[in-house]
Amino acid sequence: MPAENTGQTPQDVLVVDDDADIRNLLSSVLTIEGYAVSSASNGEEALSKLRGVPGTRLILLDLRMPVMDGWEFRAEQTRDPALSHIPVVVLSGDGDLERATASFSGASVLKKPFDLEELITVVQRYF
């Protein structure tokens, strides 16, 4: 079973969420499903990880985070040719859902709290 990625090897999925419990839950579930997982607590940290370790195939992105929120992260990601191709699944609370859907055209949007089976199904679509 793969362990959470902490070194310089490519990860399949990057989980970006300021809630440590959600990061840990998603990392554990996705690791059990066979994915190499890395995590970041905000958009700035996520960009640093993406630029330092190429090969990420999917980003699970919370919207409301300190330092750099999901909208700021997505704007920066789409401006960077090396990162713009990586698909994003937005994890959004009630208040963010409509804005997320409008701002992230083409991205999957899952409402928090999300169903883990639904999340896994969405992640599997990208692999």
Side-chain angles (χ1 to χ4, degrees):
M1 170 186 328
E4 181 170 341
N5 184 352
T6 56
Q8 291 297 309
T9 57
Q11 63 265 358
D12 293 324
V13 181
L14 176 61
V15 176
V16 187
D17 199 305
D18 62 320
D19 186 320
D21 291 336
I22 291 175
R23 282 195 317 271
N24 292 336
L25 172 68
L26 292 176
S27 294
S28 295
V29 168
L30 293 171
T31 297
I32 289 168
E33 291 293 316
Y35 298 99
V37 181
S38 184
S39 64
S41 61
N42 61 65
E44 187 176 282
E45 183 182 344
L47 287 170
S48 177
K49 285 190 176 207
L50 290 167
R51 290 175 175 144
V53 183
T56 299
R57 296 176 58 191
L58 180 64
I59 299 165
L60 301 181
L61 180 66
D62 183 26
L63 293 178
R64 297 197 183 269
M65 298 176 288
V67 183
M68 178 185 280
D69 67 26
W71 291 282
E72 294 168 319
F73 166 84
R74 182 67 170 159
E76 185 65 28
Q77 181 209 6
T78 56
R79 281 192 293 266
D80 187 331
L83 305 177
S84 62
H85 68 283
I86 304 170
V88 172
V89 174
V90 175
L91 307 175
S92 175
D94 287 344
D96 302 328
L97 197 56
E98 187 175 313
R99 182 175 170 202
T101 303
S103 300
F104 291 84
S105 63
S108 297
V109 179
L110 293 177
K111 180 180 172 184
K112 285 183 178 179
F114 48 82
D115 177 77
L116 284 176
E117 287 185 30
E118 179 183 9
L119 175 79
I120 291 167
T121 299
V122 169
V123 168
Q124 289 172 341
R125 287 186 209 146
Y126 293 94
F127 288 85

